[in-house]
Amino acid sequence: MPTREQFVEAEATVGRYRKEIGDRCKVFFVVPDYYETRPKRCMNGWGQVFLGIAPDGAALPCHTARSLPGLEFSNVIDTPIKDIWYESDAFNRFRGFGWMKEPCRSCDEKTIDLGGCRCQAYLFTQDSANADPVCSKSPHHERVIEAACVKKLFSCGARSMRVRAVMSPRQARRMCWSKRCVRWRVAFPI
């Protein structure tokens, strides 16, 4: 997982390229939200504005939708795009609110974030219908915080196998929120 600083640098780089190339090409950059408390809409709404066609002809509602088990993606060679968009299970699975579990189902912000990213929910919880764990209302939010903290900890120099073997993710989180990771490198020498 990239650090917050790496996200900021990547976003600045994309901004420079967008200015340089102008309207000749559209550069898509989806800013990850690991360091936020509310998720972004998955592709601005799963199956709402985006349809990607993979090299093999598969129509995808998201660049990484193939990582989700249980979805079959229609092929544009065999199926008209109109049918894929309106009729396919893959494009309809996460449209609307009927698929949502709690806390999303009763959340007053569901019309804003639409439950967040389905692939991210699956990555962290093994269930693509769960709330995006970036959301602080998700029962799995702690996993994102721990992953971000472990990344921060190891990016500041605590790379020893001894540290990794001794610490739990919860300990890493506590260390991350401490004043300086340097202090912990003394406690767990490298």
Side-chain angles (χ1 to χ4, degrees), residues 153-183:
L153 176 69
F154 290 117
S155 70
C156 73
R159 289 181 169 81
S160 88
M161 290 303 286
R162 184 171 174 204
V163 171
R164 289 184 192 142
V166 171
M167 290 174 26
S168 70
R170 191 169 296 281
Q171 288 171 315
R173 179 174 181 232
R174 276 191 231 122
M175 286 173 32
C176 227
W177 294 114
S178 69
K179 292 181 182 175
R180 301 191 133 245
C181 289
V182 174
R183 179 170 86 175

